[in-house]
Amino acid sequence: MAFRWKNDLKDCDVTDEAVFLNRRQLMAGAAAGIGLAATAGGRVGAAGELVPNAWEDITQYNNFYEFGTGKSDPVTYADELTTTPWTVTIDGMVDRPADYAFEDIMKAMTVEERIYRLRCVEAWSMVVPWNGFELADLLDLAGVQEGAKYVRFETLYRPEEFRGQRNGWIDWPYVEGLRMDEAMHPLTIMATGIYGRDIPNQNGAPLRLVVPWKYGFKSIKSVVRITLTDEQPVNTWQQILPNEYGFYSNVNPNVDHPRWSQATERVIGGGLFQPRIPTLMFNGYEKEVAAMYEGMDLKKFY
Ligand code: MTE
Protein backbone atom coordinates (compact mmCIF):
# COMPACT_ATOMS: atom_id res chain seq x y z
CA MET A 1 0.00 0.00 0.00
CA ALA A 2 1.55 3.28 -1.06
CA PHE A 3 0.07 5.29 1.77
CA ARG A 4 -3.14 5.39 3.69
CA TRP A 5 -5.66 8.12 3.58
CA LYS A 6 -7.38 9.01 6.79
CA ASN A 7 -8.40 5.75 8.33
CA ASP A 8 -9.63 4.42 11.62
CA LEU A 9 -6.31 3.11 12.92
CA LYS A 10 -5.57 3.80 16.55
CA ASP A 11 -2.04 4.04 18.00
CA CYS A 12 -2.18 0.51 19.25
CA ASP A 13 -3.14 -0.91 15.86
CA VAL A 14 -0.02 0.32 14.17
CA THR A 15 2.01 -2.52 12.77
CA ASP A 16 5.21 -2.81 14.74
CA GLU A 17 8.66 -2.88 13.29
CA ALA A 18 9.14 -6.58 13.79
CA VAL A 19 6.13 -7.31 11.63
CA PHE A 20 7.38 -4.99 8.92
CA LEU A 21 10.84 -6.49 8.95
CA ASN A 22 9.44 -9.95 9.04
CA ARG A 23 7.26 -9.14 6.06
CA ARG A 24 10.26 -7.80 4.21
CA GLN A 25 12.20 -10.97 4.86
CA LEU A 26 9.24 -13.14 3.98
CA MET A 27 8.75 -11.34 0.74
CA ALA A 28 12.42 -11.42 -0.08
CA GLY A 29 12.45 -15.14 0.61
CA ALA A 30 9.16 -16.14 -0.92
CA ALA A 31 9.66 -14.16 -4.05
CA ALA A 32 13.27 -15.18 -4.59
CA GLY A 33 14.13 -13.80 -7.95
CA ILE A 34 11.59 -11.04 -7.55
CA GLY A 35 12.46 -10.03 -3.99
CA LEU A 36 12.58 -6.32 -3.32
CA ALA A 37 12.69 -4.32 -6.48
CA ALA A 38 13.92 -0.74 -6.62
CA THR A 39 11.83 1.08 -9.15
CA ALA A 40 10.71 4.65 -9.63
CA GLY A 41 9.13 5.69 -6.37
CA GLY A 42 11.23 3.63 -4.01
CA ARG A 43 11.66 0.03 -3.03
CA VAL A 44 8.59 -2.04 -3.63
CA GLY A 45 7.66 -5.50 -2.53
CA ALA A 46 6.28 -8.38 -4.53
CA ALA A 47 2.74 -6.99 -4.34
CA GLY A 48 3.84 -3.56 -5.51
CA GLU A 49 3.60 -1.99 -2.04
CA LEU A 50 6.13 0.53 -0.74
CA VAL A 51 8.60 -1.10 1.64
CA PRO A 52 9.72 1.12 4.54
CA ASN A 53 13.38 1.47 5.32
CA ALA A 54 14.81 -0.21 8.40
CA TRP A 55 14.71 1.66 11.71
CA GLU A 56 18.52 1.99 11.51
CA ASP A 57 18.43 3.71 8.10
CA ILE A 58 15.75 6.13 9.23
CA THR A 59 17.32 7.04 12.57
CA GLN A 60 21.05 7.00 11.82
CA TYR A 61 21.29 8.85 8.50
CA ASN A 62 19.77 12.26 9.13
CA ASN A 63 19.82 15.93 8.31
CA PHE A 64 19.33 18.05 11.42
CA TYR A 65 21.80 20.90 11.31
CA GLU A 66 20.96 21.91 14.88
CA PHE A 67 23.09 18.90 15.85
CA GLY A 68 25.75 19.44 13.17
CA THR A 69 26.07 19.06 9.41
CA GLY A 70 27.23 15.42 9.26
CA LYS A 71 24.72 12.66 8.54
CA SER A 72 25.60 10.88 11.79
CA ASP A 73 25.81 14.04 13.97
CA PRO A 74 22.06 13.95 14.76
CA VAL A 75 22.12 10.40 16.17
CA THR A 76 25.45 11.04 17.91
CA TYR A 77 24.28 14.13 19.81
CA ALA A 78 20.53 13.39 19.98
CA ASP A 79 20.65 12.78 23.75
CA GLU A 80 21.71 16.38 24.40
CA LEU A 81 18.19 17.59 23.56
CA THR A 82 15.45 17.49 26.19
CA THR A 83 11.90 17.38 24.87
CA THR A 84 9.86 17.50 28.08
CA PRO A 85 8.15 19.76 28.80
CA TRP A 86 7.28 20.82 25.25
CA THR A 87 4.83 23.46 24.12
CA VAL A 88 3.82 24.59 20.68
CA THR A 89 2.84 28.23 20.39
CA ILE A 90 0.12 28.68 17.79
CA ASP A 91 -0.38 32.35 17.06
CA GLY A 92 -1.04 34.94 14.39
CA MET A 93 -4.35 34.77 12.51
CA VAL A 94 -6.10 32.20 14.71
CA ASP A 95 -9.14 32.40 17.00
CA ARG A 96 -7.45 30.63 19.91
CA PRO A 97 -3.79 31.70 20.06
CA ALA A 98 -2.06 29.86 22.92
CA ASP A 99 0.88 27.83 24.10
CA TYR A 100 -0.40 24.30 23.57
CA ALA A 101 1.22 21.64 25.75
CA PHE A 102 2.37 18.67 23.68
CA GLU A 103 0.34 16.28 25.88
CA ASP A 104 -2.83 18.30 25.30
CA ILE A 105 -2.26 18.26 21.56
CA MET A 106 -1.85 14.49 21.64
CA LYS A 107 -5.08 14.09 23.60
CA ALA A 108 -6.97 16.07 21.00
CA MET A 109 -5.49 14.44 17.89
CA THR A 110 -6.02 11.07 16.23
CA VAL A 111 -2.71 9.40 15.51
CA GLU A 112 -2.52 7.15 12.48
CA GLU A 113 0.15 5.52 10.38
CA ARG A 114 1.32 6.96 7.07
CA ILE A 115 3.93 5.22 4.95
CA TYR A 116 5.51 7.96 2.86
CA ARG A 117 8.42 8.43 0.53
CA LEU A 118 10.96 10.98 1.74
CA ARG A 119 13.06 12.62 -0.99
CA CYS A 120 15.89 14.89 0.12
CA VAL A 121 16.93 17.76 -2.15
CA GLU A 122 20.41 16.16 -2.02
CA ALA A 123 18.98 13.34 -4.20
CA TRP A 124 18.73 10.48 -1.71
CA SER A 125 15.50 8.89 -0.54
CA MET A 126 13.88 6.58 1.98
CA VAL A 127 10.44 5.27 2.80
CA VAL A 128 9.31 6.03 6.35
CA PRO A 129 6.37 4.58 8.31
CA TRP A 130 5.36 7.69 10.24
CA ASN A 131 2.80 7.94 13.01
CA GLY A 132 1.14 11.30 13.24
CA PHE A 133 -1.92 13.42 12.74
CA GLU A 134 -3.06 15.76 10.01
CA LEU A 135 -1.79 19.31 10.35
CA ALA A 136 -5.28 20.45 9.33
CA ASP A 137 -6.67 18.98 12.56
CA LEU A 138 -4.17 20.90 14.67
CA LEU A 139 -4.90 24.13 12.81
CA ASP A 140 -8.63 23.53 13.34
CA LEU A 141 -7.94 23.27 17.06
CA ALA A 142 -6.55 26.81 17.01
CA GLY A 143 -9.21 28.06 14.58
CA VAL A 144 -7.74 29.53 11.39
CA GLN A 145 -9.08 32.98 10.62
CA GLU A 146 -10.24 34.13 7.27
CA GLY A 147 -7.45 36.00 5.54
CA ALA A 148 -4.68 33.68 6.72
CA LYS A 149 -2.79 32.62 3.59
CA TYR A 150 0.36 30.92 4.88
CA VAL A 151 1.64 28.90 7.81
CA ARG A 152 5.08 29.64 9.25
CA PHE A 153 6.89 27.05 11.39
CA GLU A 154 9.82 27.45 13.76
CA THR A 155 12.15 24.87 15.32
CA LEU A 156 13.24 25.15 18.95
CA TYR A 157 16.12 27.60 19.52
CA ARG A 158 18.22 26.27 22.41
CA PRO A 159 21.97 26.51 21.74
CA GLU A 160 22.78 24.95 25.15
CA GLU A 161 21.39 21.69 23.80
CA PHE A 162 21.64 22.15 20.04
CA ARG A 163 25.40 22.36 19.50
CA GLY A 164 24.89 23.33 15.85
CA GLN A 165 23.12 26.51 16.95
CA ARG A 166 26.30 27.72 18.66
CA ASN A 167 27.66 28.86 15.32
CA GLY A 168 26.15 31.57 13.25
CA TRP A 169 26.17 30.61 9.58
CA ILE A 170 22.45 29.84 9.79
CA ASP A 171 20.17 32.51 11.18
CA TRP A 172 18.55 30.27 13.81
CA PRO A 173 15.89 29.16 14.48
CA TYR A 174 15.22 27.02 11.40
CA VAL A 175 12.07 28.32 9.69
CA GLU A 176 9.74 26.77 7.14
CA GLY A 177 6.46 27.69 5.52
CA LEU A 178 3.50 26.35 3.58
CA ARG A 179 0.69 27.91 1.61
CA MET A 180 -2.66 27.43 3.34
CA ASP A 181 -3.97 24.84 0.86
CA GLU A 182 -0.75 22.85 1.24
CA ALA A 183 -1.02 23.01 5.02
CA MET A 184 -4.64 21.83 4.95
CA HIS A 185 -3.96 19.02 2.46
CA PRO A 186 -4.77 15.59 3.94
CA LEU A 187 -1.29 14.27 3.05
CA THR A 188 0.37 16.90 5.26
CA ILE A 189 1.01 15.55 8.75
CA MET A 190 2.74 16.35 12.01
CA ALA A 191 4.70 13.19 12.80
CA THR A 192 5.12 12.06 16.40
CA GLY A 193 6.34 8.51 15.83
CA ILE A 194 8.12 6.06 13.55
CA TYR A 195 7.33 2.35 13.48
CA GLY A 196 4.88 2.92 16.34
CA ARG A 197 7.58 4.26 18.69
CA ASP A 198 7.99 7.86 19.80
CA ILE A 199 9.88 9.79 17.20
CA PRO A 200 13.60 9.89 18.14
CA ASN A 201 15.26 13.25 18.78
CA GLN A 202 17.35 12.98 15.62
CA ASN A 203 14.17 12.74 13.54
CA GLY A 204 12.58 15.81 15.13
CA ALA A 205 11.07 14.94 18.49
CA PRO A 206 8.53 15.39 19.77
CA LEU A 207 6.74 16.56 16.64
CA ARG A 208 7.83 17.51 13.14
CA LEU A 209 6.17 18.41 9.89
CA VAL A 210 6.04 15.89 7.02
CA VAL A 211 5.07 17.08 3.53
CA PRO A 212 5.78 14.06 1.33
CA TRP A 213 5.58 15.71 -2.10
CA LYS A 214 8.18 18.36 -1.22
CA TYR A 215 11.93 18.08 -0.72
CA GLY A 216 12.79 16.93 2.78
CA PHE A 217 14.03 20.30 3.99
CA LYS A 218 10.42 21.54 4.06
CA SER A 219 9.65 18.91 6.72
CA ILE A 220 10.82 21.01 9.67
CA LYS A 221 11.74 19.21 12.88
CA SER A 222 11.09 19.81 16.59
CA VAL A 223 8.48 22.49 15.99
CA VAL A 224 7.76 25.01 18.78
CA ARG A 225 5.87 27.70 16.93
CA ILE A 226 3.21 27.74 14.22
CA THR A 227 2.11 31.16 12.99
CA LEU A 228 -0.81 31.85 10.66
CA THR A 229 -0.06 34.83 8.46
CA ASP A 230 -1.00 36.62 5.26
CA GLU A 231 2.65 37.00 4.23
CA GLN A 232 4.71 34.32 2.51
CA PRO A 233 7.36 33.22 5.03
CA VAL A 234 11.04 33.22 4.11
CA ASN A 235 12.25 29.72 4.86
CA THR A 236 15.77 29.04 6.12
CA TRP A 237 17.23 27.51 2.95
CA GLN A 238 15.68 30.17 0.77
CA GLN A 239 17.30 32.75 3.00
CA ILE A 240 20.73 31.08 2.81
CA LEU A 241 20.80 30.30 -0.94
CA PRO A 242 17.84 31.90 -2.73
CA ASN A 243 19.05 30.86 -6.19
CA GLU A 244 19.10 27.20 -5.18
CA TYR A 245 16.21 26.76 -2.76
CA GLY A 246 12.78 28.29 -3.08
CA PHE A 247 9.60 28.49 -1.09
CA TYR A 248 7.71 25.73 -2.91
CA SER A 249 10.43 23.07 -3.21
CA ASN A 250 8.12 20.51 -4.79
CA VAL A 251 9.94 17.34 -5.83
CA ASN A 252 10.35 17.71 -9.58
CA PRO A 253 12.60 15.51 -11.75
CA ASN A 254 12.33 18.06 -14.58
CA VAL A 255 13.77 21.02 -12.67
CA ASP A 256 17.39 20.42 -11.73
CA HIS A 257 19.17 21.92 -8.77
CA PRO A 258 21.72 24.42 -10.15
CA ARG A 259 24.53 22.08 -9.03
CA TRP A 260 23.10 18.60 -9.67
CA SER A 261 20.35 16.69 -11.47
CA GLN A 262 17.08 15.92 -9.73
CA ALA A 263 16.07 13.27 -12.29
CA THR A 264 17.20 10.30 -10.17
CA GLU A 265 17.80 9.42 -6.53
CA ARG A 266 19.92 7.09 -4.40
CA VAL A 267 17.86 4.82 -2.17
CA ILE A 268 19.28 4.68 1.36
CA GLY A 269 19.69 1.10 2.56
CA GLY A 270 19.73 -0.25 -0.94
CA GLY A 271 23.34 -1.36 -0.78
CA LEU A 272 26.41 -0.13 -2.58
CA PHE A 273 25.55 -1.51 -6.00
CA GLN A 274 21.89 -0.66 -6.20
CA PRO A 275 21.30 1.55 -9.22
CA ARG A 276 19.79 5.00 -8.75
CA ILE A 277 16.07 5.11 -9.43
CA PRO A 278 14.05 7.70 -11.36
CA THR A 279 12.53 10.46 -9.24
CA LEU A 280 8.77 10.85 -9.60
CA MET A 281 6.92 14.11 -10.16
CA PHE A 282 5.75 15.43 -6.79
CA ASN A 283 7.58 12.42 -5.33
CA GLY A 284 4.83 10.09 -6.55
CA TYR A 285 1.93 12.11 -5.12
CA GLU A 286 1.06 13.89 -8.37
CA LYS A 287 -2.49 12.59 -8.49
CA GLU A 288 -3.19 13.99 -5.04
CA VAL A 289 -1.43 17.38 -5.23
CA ALA A 290 -0.89 18.52 -8.84
CA ALA A 291 -4.17 20.48 -8.90
CA MET A 292 -2.81 22.90 -6.30
CA TYR A 293 -0.13 24.06 -8.76
CA GLU A 294 -2.16 24.18 -11.96
CA GLY A 295 -1.08 27.05 -14.17
CA MET A 296 2.06 27.77 -12.11
CA ASP A 297 5.46 27.82 -13.79
CA LEU A 298 7.26 25.23 -11.67
CA LYS A 299 10.66 26.34 -12.99
CA LYS A 300 10.01 29.81 -11.65
CA PHE A 301 8.34 28.72 -8.42
CA TYR A 302 10.94 26.10 -7.43
N1 MTE B 1 14.53 20.59 10.37
C1 MTE B 1 15.39 21.30 11.11
N2 MTE B 1 14.94 22.00 12.16
N3 MTE B 1 16.72 21.34 10.84
C2 MTE B 1 17.24 20.67 9.77
O1 MTE B 1 18.47 20.74 9.53
N4 MTE B 1 16.78 19.21 7.82
C3 MTE B 1 15.78 18.94 6.79
C4 MTE B 1 14.48 18.40 7.38
N5 MTE B 1 14.09 19.13 8.57
C5 MTE B 1 16.36 19.91 8.94
C6 MTE B 1 14.98 19.88 9.31
C7 MTE B 1 16.24 18.07 5.73
S1 MTE B 1 17.39 18.73 4.64
C8 MTE B 1 15.74 16.81 5.55
S2 MTE B 1 16.16 15.88 4.18
C9 MTE B 1 14.87 16.20 6.55
O2 MTE B 1 14.65 17.03 7.69
C10 MTE B 1 15.49 14.90 7.01
O3 MTE B 1 14.64 14.21 7.88
P1 MTE B 1 15.15 12.87 8.56
O4 MTE B 1 16.50 13.15 9.15
O5 MTE B 1 14.14 12.52 9.59
O6 MTE B 1 15.24 11.85 7.46
Side-chain angles (χ1 to χ4, degrees), residues 5-139:
W5 288 100
K6 207 170 179 88
N7 58 30
D8 54 8
L9 270 183
K10 294 183 264 327
D11 296 60
C12 52
D13 294 330
V14 169
T15 316
D16 71 20
E17 186 189 8
V19 176
F20 269 108
L21 294 177
N22 196 19
R23 202 176 68 194
R24 270 168 33 138
Q25 280 152 12
L26 279 176
M27 284 186 321
I34 303 173
L36 287 182
T39 65
R43 290 187 304 169
V44 295
E49 79 281 20
L50 271 184
V51 177
N53 278 81
W55 173 263
E56 289 72 24
D57 297 337
I58 299 167
T59 61
Q60 295 177 19
Y61 185 94
N62 299 97
N63 275 334
F64 199 170
Y65 279 21
E66 283 82 344
F67 286 119
T69 54
K71 297 291 184 245
S72 57
D73 287 340
V75 66
T76 305
Y77 303 116
D79 288 348
E80 295 177 1
L81 173 69
T82 49
T83 58
T84 45
W86 193 274
T87 56
V88 181
T89 302
I90 308 184
D91 62 2
M93 302 171 80
V94 289
D95 295 332
R96 291 172 288 282
D99 295 339
Y100 291 83
F102 178 68
E103 293 72 27
D104 293 339
I105 291 175
M106 291 305 275
K107 271 183 219 145
M109 297 291 116
T110 306
V111 172
E112 53 184 290
E113 178 193 74
R114 299 284 181 99
I115 301 171
Y116 283 162
R117 300 181 192 89
L118 173 80
R119 169 61 157 82
C120 180
V121 73
E122 298 163 340
W124 53 263
S125 69
M126 298 190 195
V127 175
V128 184
W130 303 107
N131 312 100
F133 52 84
E134 289 183 14
L135 173 62
D137 291 340
L138 180 61
L139 296 181

